[in-house]
Amino acid sequence: MPDTFSVSVRQAEMLLLNDAHISLKEIQALPFIDDQQEALAVAQRLIKNLAPNYNVEITSDPWDTDDVRLSLMPS
């Protein structure tokens, strides 16, 4: 059985690939993510996993100035 961190990374990755963007607050809202530190760890793993095929741009979220957004850009 996979650990909950891996499940959260896979869920976030599916959302990011589907929508081409995901915010840190959206990651934090996923099951098994308890706080912002865990959401940051998931975001870091997403960047590492997707780096071979995509450029991941990190920007402030245009709808929430207290949040950041990961966006996929083709490499």
Side-chain angles (χ1 to χ4, degrees):
M1 181 164 155
D3 63 291
T4 58
F5 181 77
S6 296
V7 170
S8 297
V9 170
R10 288 188 3 219
Q11 288 176 330
E13 189 171 325
M14 287 188 297
L15 290 169
L16 179 55
L17 289 170
N18 185 57
D19 295 341
H21 58 81
I22 191 167
S23 74
L24 194 59
K25 287 184 180 179
E26 289 172 324
I27 294 171
Q28 191 171 344
L30 292 172
F32 311 121
I33 303 295
D34 296 325
D35 58 28
Q36 189 175 20
Q37 288 298 96
E38 288 182 18
L40 283 169
V42 168
Q44 289 173 330
R45 181 66 60 88
L46 281 176
I47 293 167
K48 182 180 177 185
N49 289 353
L50 296 171
N53 299 317
Y54 298 94
N55 292 322
V56 181
E57 184 177 87
I58 303 168
T59 58
S60 2
D61 191 323
W63 294 280
D64 186 351
T65 56
D66 293 335
D67 200 4
V68 295
R69 181 178 178 153
L70 304 175
S71 300
L72 289 182
M73 310 301 265
S75 57

